[in-house]
Amino acid sequence: SAVTRGDCASAVPSYEQVTQLLPTFYEAWFPLGVCYSQTGHPAEAETALKRYLEYQPLSADGRTALGLVYLAAGRYRDAREHLVTALDLEPGAVEPAVALARADFELHDYAAALRISDRLLAATPAEVPADLYAMAARAASETGDPRKARDYCGRGVRAYPEDPPLQQLHAALL
């Protein structure tokens, strides 16, 4: 499909048509929401994903996708609500956990962001993006733990030696 090929722009009209003809066909609302999100239409993405969740309220993927839409829009409390639910539904999922750590950081709940980061880095370090190491280092600094901040940066630089922002933060913390 166009979505699996990463061609959401060409998939949107087909999904729109399906949802207009069969509005209760929830399987079309999720990819439509994802495609809207990936093509820069956050309001439409929110509407489609909410519609999907009306039919599938226990979908961790749906909750994660809506949480990511809210996170990108700076609606951190809304994002947090859906990401927490996604993790309740699928406790080991990495994507909602990373997003939840970011939402907590943006809400200045640095201790919560660190708890999530610690769990992620202990369980799935290979799946953690470079910017999460940097965010965790900043959160550790905000909580008054410079040793932990340096540790996060050092681990991040070892995992992503070619990441300039991480290298700069590491140098600043040394």
Side-chain angles (χ1 to χ4, degrees), residues 32-129:
L32 178 60
V34 170
C35 285
Y36 277 143
S37 176
Q38 291 181 2
T39 56
H41 297 92
E44 292 85 351
E46 178 184 3
T47 299
L49 291 167
K50 281 182 168 180
R51 188 70 184 265
Y52 173 73
L53 288 169
E54 287 175 17
Y55 298 105
Q56 293 293 317
L58 299 179
S59 168
D61 290 339
R63 296 287 175 179
T64 299
L66 186 55
L68 292 172
V69 168
Y70 288 144
L71 187 66
R75 294 172 56 184
Y76 305 118
R77 291 191 195 294
D78 292 331
R80 188 174 201 296
E81 175 187 337
H82 288 281
L83 296 166
V84 165
T85 301
L87 286 169
D88 286 344
L89 294 166
E90 195 174 318
V94 173
E95 186 176 31
V98 169
L100 180 58
R102 290 182 178 135
D104 283 340
F105 182 84
E106 294 298 336
L107 290 167
H108 305 287
D109 189 346
Y110 303 117
L114 283 173
R115 281 192 301 276
I116 296 164
S117 298
D118 283 339
R119 277 197 315 264
L120 284 167
L121 292 170
T124 57
E127 296 180 50
V128 174

Side-chain angles (χ1 to χ4, degrees), residues 137 140-141 145-155 170 173-174:
S141 290
D145 193 342
R147 181 198 56 75
K148 194 170 194 173
R150 286 190 299 274
D151 178 60
Y152 276 121
C153 262
R155 290 164 59 190
H170 188 246
L173 289 172
L174 290 179

